[in-house]
Amino acid sequence: MSLRHNPVVFMALKPRLTVDELASLWLDKGLPPLLPKVHAHHITLMWKPSDEKVRDAIAAFRWSPQDTQVIVNGWLSSNRCQAFAVHLRGRAAELCENAHPHITMATAIGVPPYYSNEMLAKLDPEPLKNETFFTLECDTYVKRSHRNG
């Protein structure tokens, strides 16, 4: 199959928790109530990667769970967006092209989820206390465009 006819939009890690379970973790940490549009479903590693990067990453994605670790260690919240900051270890860290790995938890109505990248580029996340750090088990996820060409 040619990647050119089935372009990859992004490659990500998908937590093995449901959106509701991640939202509960946010609230259990005593963080502000979530904004109306809850996302909480992935950690983007690559956005619109080249065909070569896709081939390399797909080959590298054949890792076992102990080869990668996602540590949730901080958070940001504004009236527009909320996100968990994450620290990646292992293969995911090697492949990640996102300068600020995170999980967009929620946004205000009309605010796109990628706004969290802009917010994290401008502001430092509030750290979670050591006792509240937590590790997520994740699966890999490849999102392809539905258009040809």
Side-chain angles (χ1 to χ4, degrees):
M1 170 176 56
S2 169
L3 293 173
R4 210 174 292 289
H5 296 293
N6 204 355
V8 171
V9 176
F10 69 85
M11 302 188 85
L13 294 175
K14 182 171 178 45
R16 291 183 183 164
L17 297 176
T18 66
V19 170
D20 287 343
E21 288 169 328
L22 274 170
S24 290
L25 280 170
W26 176 274
L27 297 174
D28 289 348
K29 302 293 178 198
L31 304 179
L34 286 167
L35 294 166
K37 183 78 172 141
V38 177
H39 302 281
H41 49 69
H42 72 271
I43 302 161
T44 301
L45 298 177
M46 297 179 190
W47 178 253
K48 296 186 179 180
S50 68
D51 289 354
E52 183 179 349
K53 285 184 180 182
V54 171
R55 284 186 198 98
D56 291 347
I58 287 172
F61 277 167
R62 292 183 176 88
W63 69 67
S64 60
Q66 60 267 28
D67 287 340
T68 193
Q69 192 176 30
V70 177
I71 302 165
V72 179
N73 61 357
W75 62 280
L76 278 172
S77 183
S78 74
N79 63 350
R80 299 190 71 200
C81 184
Q82 296 164 311
F84 269 135
V86 301
H87 176 74
L88 303 175
R89 291 187 181 157
R91 296 281 178 108
E94 295 167 16
L95 294 170
C96 187
E97 294 182 351
N98 192 335
H100 308 284
H102 64 280
I103 301 170
T104 301
M105 292 300 296
T107 59
I109 300 298
V111 176
Y114 63 78
Y115 177 77
S116 56
N117 287 297
E118 296 171 23
M119 186 171 73
L120 283 156
K122 295 175 187 171
L123 304 170
D124 290 329
E126 292 289 328
L128 289 174
K129 294 183 176 26
N130 283 338
E131 65 272 10
T132 62
F133 280 20
F134 59 97
T135 302
L136 292 175
E137 289 188 21
C138 295
D139 296 311
T140 58
Y141 177 69
V142 177
K143 172 74 174 169
R144 296 184 184 275
S145 170
H146 296 290
R147 298 182 325 212
N148 286 334

